Amino acid sequence: MTTQINPYNQSIEDLQKDYPGNDFEQGLSQVEAQKRLATNGPNKLESKKTPKWQLFIRQFNNLIIYILIAAALLTTLMGHCDNPFMVVR
């Protein structure tokens, strides 16, 4: 069983042995870049755009926010009507 070392843990010399024919100083040639583009597609991450209302709702998904809301409700139930506004501020 062989242990695979991650490329970021290897030295440049070891990487050059593993990837012969690649120029580590100049990068890929134009021909090799076009070949890889045709084979693998563009080097692009795809992401969905999150709606703004969903981003707004996510802001309230926090334990501290829940504690503050509970404190505001508790002070309202206790009859201190001016205090909930101070808790939320």
Side-chain angles (χ1 to χ4, degrees):
M1 183 158 105
T2 60
T3 304
Q4 173 115 10
I5 299 175
N6 292 324
Y8 58 84
N9 287 335
Q10 293 181 341
S11 67
I12 298 282
E13 293 79 24
D14 292 338
L15 286 172
Q16 286 175 335
K17 291 176 194 170
D18 291 342
Y19 299 99
N22 290 329
D23 185 5
F24 280 60
E25 296 294 324
Q26 297 295 320
L28 297 175
S29 67
Q30 189 69 20
V31 173
E32 181 67 21
Q34 291 295 328
K35 180 179 151 191
R36 290 187 186 193
L37 180 63
T39 304
N40 302 322
N43 188 13
K44 181 179 175 186
L45 294 176
E46 295 181 18
S47 64
K48 293 189 318 184
K49 186 163 176 103
T50 305
K52 297 211 183 287
W53 67 268
Q54 206 170 32
L55 291 174
F56 179 74
I57 296 297
R58 284 186 193 167
Q59 300 298 314
F60 297 101
N61 192 13
N62 189 333
L63 180 62
I64 294 173
I65 299 297
Y66 295 145
I67 292 171
L68 287 173
I69 292 171
L73 291 174
L74 186 63
T75 55
T76 303
L77 291 174
M78 291 172 54
H80 302 286
C81 294
D82 57 338
N83 286 345
F85 299 111
M86 297 302 172
V87 171
V88 174
R89 275 189 183 181

